Amino acid sequence: MNKIPFVTKEKVEEIVKTYPTPFHIYDEKAIRENARHLKAAFSWNKGFREYFAVKATPNPFILKILKEEGCGTDCSSLTELMMSEACGFTGTDIMFSSNVTPACEYKKAKELGAYINLDDITHIDFLEETAGIPDTIFCRYNPGGVFKMGTDIMDNPGDAKYGMTKEQLIEAVTRLKAKGVKKFGIHSFLASNTVTNGYYPELAGILFRLAAEVKEKTGTDISFINLSGGVGIPYKPDEEPNDIAVIGEGVRKKFEEILVPAGLGDVSIFTELGRFMLGPYGGLVTKAIHEKHIYKEYIGVDACAVNLMRPAMYGAYHHITVLGKENEPCSHKYDITGSLCENNDKFAIDRMLPGIKTGDYLFIHDTGAHGFSMGYNYNGKLKSAELLLKEDGSVQMIRRAETPADYFATFDFCEILKNY
């Protein structure tokens, strides 16, 4: 089984006449189709809305596409709030889910009229002092312990820094209600990149039962339940992708089973997906520029961990296609490396691929979320351009590549590098 790139060798050869490698490229048509599938899967809930996790792909051109498809944004920093504002997201188009939050960020979120999601009970007083308490507020829940599905351990919320205990959340609702809050939402994130249709329904059951308990103990109706992110993608070609229609139906069943009998049938369901929304619809295109034959076979490319950090940071798998050699046998074992002075700067280790020659183009799959956005400038390396493959087949630059002038820009207060 193999993954099929959404650009061909011929298309890349055309693109590089204008935009040299490496670059990230995104598939507009597929992004729009996926957003519509998500919306259809939750169309049974009249208040449903997707709040795209800006941190996954913080690009205004991408945000505007998603805005046109009816999405809001999920922000966790001042700059993400500013980008959302610049793209025309206003008020409750924005969900502000942060932690260890500086005062200036709460002030900006309150100024924009965004939904504010409190990570900790101590933030009630902090928010009141710095920005004031809004009429609507969310509280983030951490159930603690280990999150299991059947006998499989999915993640360990008890070790996570996010959210409140159940007792704290119930107390927070009581205190916030006394301070004038009129509408409440609850939110939780229990596992990352789950490739199972059962995760969202399981999480929904936990939050729906919590909402019923909050109502019972405080007399407060919950208006919104945010299932956050965690719906993943199949990075490996032999993995089955999630079926968002099945996931939506699973959440609906929990809704009917738990919330409706509790008198909470008007609750609006929100999601904050990043990886699911963009991951498969972006790729990193890079060129083989060196071959090395020592104790192993190495192919050196013009991208590095600056452009895609996940393999170096997590040992994450990203499938690689050698463009133009899709039908050739994978008969060669390579490490695919970048040029950083770090031995973990490898996109693949002992990967079986077709024979690669200097000048070949490699398409690294599934970089549409947490790809470019995790970039950095170690070794003085510069981040690449981002391109958009538009629905009509044309290509648009949606972020230019960095230049040395960008790298030196924060020294603009002195004379040392003024000539660069």
Side-chain angles (χ1 to χ4, degrees), residues 11 55 69 156 165 179 183 185 292 311 363 399 403:
K11 186 67 174 178
K55 62 181 174 288
E69 297 300 333
N156 193 351
T165 68
K179 292 178 182 292
K183 287 188 175 182
K292 186 169 186 174
F363 183 93
R399 189 193 302 264
T403 67

Side-chain angles (χ1 to χ4, degrees), residues 345-366:
D345 181 21
K346 298 178 179 181
F347 295 112
I349 297 173
D350 294 333
R351 185 77 59 87
M352 297 303 297
L353 292 164
I356 300 173
K357 296 297 182 186
T358 300
D360 283 345
Y361 293 106
L362 280 62
F363 183 93
I364 303 178
H365 292 257
D366 301 316

Side-chain angles (χ1 to χ4, degrees), residues 49-105:
R49 195 165 193 197
E50 157 63 13
Y51 286 82
F52 173 69
V54 176
K55 62 181 174 288
T57 319
N59 187 297
F61 292 86
I62 297 295
L63 297 188
K64 286 191 171 187
I65 289 171
L66 294 173
K67 186 175 189 293
E68 289 170 7
E69 297 300 333
C71 300
T73 58
D74 163 50
C75 301
S76 57
S77 69
L78 177 62
T79 50
E80 290 177 0
L81 288 168
M82 293 169 69
M83 184 179 289
S84 295
E85 180 184 24
C87 290
F89 295 92
T90 59
T92 56
D93 292 340
I94 303 169
M95 174 74 63
F96 183 58
S97 296
S98 62
N99 67 96
V100 196
T101 310
C104 65
E105 298 188 357

Side-chain angles (χ1 to χ4, degrees), residues 34-51:
N34 189 54
R36 291 167 191 173
H37 290 154
L38 173 65
K39 189 174 181 179
F42 285 88
S43 60
W44 53 266
N45 182 263
K46 64 181 181 181
F48 172 76
R49 195 165 193 197
E50 157 63 13
Y51 286 82

Side-chain angles (χ1 to χ4, degrees), residues 30-278:
I31 292 168
R32 289 186 183 277
E33 288 176 350
N34 189 54
R36 291 167 191 173
H37 290 154
L38 173 65
K39 189 174 181 179
F42 285 88
S43 60
W44 53 266
N45 182 263
K46 64 181 181 181
F48 172 76
R49 195 165 193 197
E50 157 63 13
Y51 286 82
F52 173 69
V54 176
K55 62 181 174 288
T57 319
N59 187 297
F61 292 86
I62 297 295
L63 297 188
K64 286 191 171 187
I65 289 171
L66 294 173
K67 186 175 189 293
E68 289 170 7
E69 297 300 333
C71 300
T73 58
D74 163 50
C75 301
S76 57
S77 69
L78 177 62
T79 50
E80 290 177 0
L81 288 168
M82 293 169 69
M83 184 179 289
S84 295
E85 180 184 24
C87 290
F89 295 92
T90 59
T92 56
D93 292 340
I94 303 169
M95 174 74 63
F96 183 58
S97 296
S98 62
N99 67 96
V100 196
T101 310
C104 65
E105 298 188 357
Y106 274 142
K107 287 177 182 176
K108 185 63 175 178
K110 180 71 161 33
E111 172 195 318
L112 292 175
Y115 286 133
I116 292 175
N117 184 23
L118 290 182
D119 180 68
D120 188 67
I121 193 168
T122 63
H123 286 216
I124 295 174
D125 292 338
F126 185 77
L127 175 63
E128 186 172 32
E129 291 165 8
T130 58
I133 301 293
D135 291 340
T136 300
I137 204 156
F138 285 66
C139 293
R140 186 167 184 170
Y141 173 54
N142 183 332
V146 173
F147 175 59
K148 291 184 177 181
M149 290 183 61
T151 58
D152 294 331
I153 295 176
M154 305 298 290
D155 218 320
N156 193 351
D159 281 347
K161 66 176 181 175
Y162 310 107
M164 310 179 197
T165 68
K166 182 189 291 186
E167 292 74 18
Q168 288 174 336
L169 189 142
I170 290 171
E171 180 187 343
V173 169
T174 301
R175 287 175 55 190
L176 288 162
K177 190 174 182 180
K179 292 178 182 292
V181 174
K182 296 178 174 60
K183 287 188 175 182
F184 289 87
I186 55 176
H187 167 288
S188 193
F189 177 89
L190 298 186
S192 180
N193 193 38
T194 61
V195 189
T196 166
N197 294 330
Y199 168 63
Y200 248 17
E202 186 75 15
L203 171 62
I206 291 170
L207 289 180
F208 293 170
R209 284 187 286 272
L210 175 62
E213 186 173 345
V214 169
K215 180 179 180 180
E216 179 186 345
K217 292 185 175 177
T218 70
T220 303
D221 284 353
I222 298 298
S223 300
F224 314 99
I225 293 179
N226 189 332
L227 301 177
S228 189
V231 177
I233 62 172
Y235 284 98
K236 295 183 177 179
D238 58 350
E239 292 178 323
E240 282 292 322
N242 284 316
D243 187 328
I244 198 63
V246 171
I247 291 171
E249 176 61 14
V251 174
R252 187 195 66 78
K253 288 178 179 177
K254 294 286 187 180
F255 189 97
E256 297 290 339
E257 172 191 325
I258 300 168
L259 287 183
V260 172
L264 293 168
D266 290 333
V267 167
S268 295
I269 303 299
F270 295 164
T271 56
E272 288 176 355
L273 298 169
R275 197 187 315 263
F276 178 81
M277 295 298 289
L278 259 294

